[in-house]
Amino acid sequence: MNEKKKTSAALKRLAREALIGRYGVMAGASALMIALNVLSTFIPEWVFPGYSIFSQVGQFIISLVIALLVSLFSAGFSRLALEVSYGQRPLFGNMLYPFYHHPDRFLMMYLVLVVIQLILQIPVTICSQIYARTYLSQTMTLGEALTYLSFVLMCSGISTLIYVIITLRFVMASFLLLDYDDISGIQALKESSRMMKGHKARYFYVTISFFGVMLLAVLTCGIGLLWVMPYMETTIAYFYRDLKGDVQ
């Protein structure tokens, strides 16, 4: 277990080499993921328009259901990346792999992560409400609005940072579920936590190293994401395999 792990540069080089001749399917899968994520932001308000309590509850429930469905497609995308890392031709149909291989395991895993996110969001909501009732006047000035927005963004940023720190240990769970049909979502989270001991900082470095190309991809109106997303996901697939010790 003291075997030296591959560097970020080495993992990215392996991903680039593995993707040669396989970008077509991966780009199509990336386009599907982008479309699903964009639609998921609009569908809740289309189904439950307005700001009433009923609409807010309806939007929350629809958002949760859609997030869980998108998570299955996300696991399917990881499946394609794993296939690429093994030198196989990725099959677009395998985007649906989690839907017919015990989807309850994937849903349970993602539901745990959603619950963690919701718990961390509660203090942000409470603090925002207290701040609004204490410091904001009935006729809010521009200065008050900007201060309130800054406060909400700061609270949300802290909540997101804590979420990332907590869930870094669980990032290999979907790959484990793809590799092993006989483990549950909870077991996958536990095994991921064990695998990631001593490797969380390395994983964070690998993902943050894509910041530059992600920024360039966004500047191309998102078209560059069709190249960056397969590159990044395949690199993460190699990271997972490197943790397992089966990367030469």
Side-chain angles (χ1 to χ4, degrees):
M1 302 305 283
N2 294 323
E3 156 187 11
K4 186 177 180 182
K5 299 300 181 183
K6 293 194 177 295
T7 63
S8 172
L11 294 172
K12 291 165 84 171
R13 176 180 55 77
L14 288 169
R16 288 194 302 272
E17 292 173 354
L19 282 163
I20 295 173
R22 298 181 175 91
Y23 255 113
V25 170
M26 295 301 288
S30 299
L32 176 60
M33 290 305 304
I34 292 169
L36 289 172
N37 280 289
V38 169
L39 285 173
S40 69
T41 63
F42 294 107
I43 290 176
E45 288 195 21
W46 288 344
V47 178
F48 291 99
Y51 299 96
S52 66
I53 295 296
F54 175 77
S55 294
Q56 294 291 311
V57 172
Q59 288 174 18
F60 171 77
I61 293 172
I62 292 291
S63 296
L64 179 59
V65 171
I66 292 174
L68 291 174
L69 288 175
V70 171
S71 73
L72 291 177
F73 280 103
S74 180
F77 189 51
S78 297
R79 167 77 183 190
L80 299 191
L82 264 182
E83 291 175 351
V84 170
S85 76
Y86 282 113
Q88 301 169 3
R89 287 280 175 187
L91 299 174
F92 191 81
N94 279 342
M95 283 287 286
L96 297 176
Y97 180 90
F99 285 87
Y100 54 83
H101 278 77
H102 308 291
D104 54 298
R105 301 180 307 134
F106 294 91
L107 292 175
M108 176 56 69
M109 178 195 72
Y110 284 112
L111 195 57
V112 169
L113 299 179
V114 167
V115 168
I116 293 172
Q117 191 173 30
L118 289 175
I119 290 172
L120 290 173
Q121 194 61 34
I122 291 172
V124 176
T125 304
I126 293 174
C127 288
S128 299
Q129 291 295 323
I130 292 174
Y131 184 96
R133 292 176 182 176
T134 305
Y135 296 106
L136 298 185
S137 58
Q138 197 70 22
T139 54
M140 191 188 307
T141 65
L142 178 60
E144 287 177 329
L146 291 174
T147 303
Y148 176 64
L149 179 61
S150 299
F151 178 78
V152 172
L153 289 175
M154 180 188 71
C155 291
S156 297
I158 293 171
S159 174
T160 301
L161 179 61
I162 295 172
Y163 176 78
V164 169
I165 292 171
I166 291 174
T167 57
L168 264 179
R169 69 192 64 200
F170 302 135
V171 291
M172 296 296 113
S174 61
F175 287 105
L176 287 163
L177 290 174
L178 292 168
D179 252 355
Y180 305 102
D181 283 342
D182 58 341
I183 65 172
S184 68
I186 301 298
Q187 287 174 319
L189 290 169
K190 290 178 179 178
E191 178 60 17
S192 174
S193 182
R194 185 196 66 77
M195 288 178 70
M196 288 296 288
K197 281 182 181 175
H199 298 286
K200 290 186 282 291
R202 189 166 74 98
Y203 176 84
F204 182 76
Y205 177 78
V206 170
T207 54
I208 206 71
S209 69
F210 284 94
F211 178 78
V213 288
M214 287 292 285
L215 182 60
L216 290 174
V218 171
L219 293 177
T220 63
C221 298
I223 296 174
L225 290 173
L226 301 181
W227 173 76
V228 176
M229 287 175 63
Y231 180 24
M232 186 171 182
E233 192 65 23
T234 305
T235 302
I236 300 305
Y238 270 111
F239 183 94
Y240 163 71
R241 290 184 54 204
D242 191 38
L243 289 181
K244 287 175 58 182
D246 70 346
V247 177
Q248 300 300 320

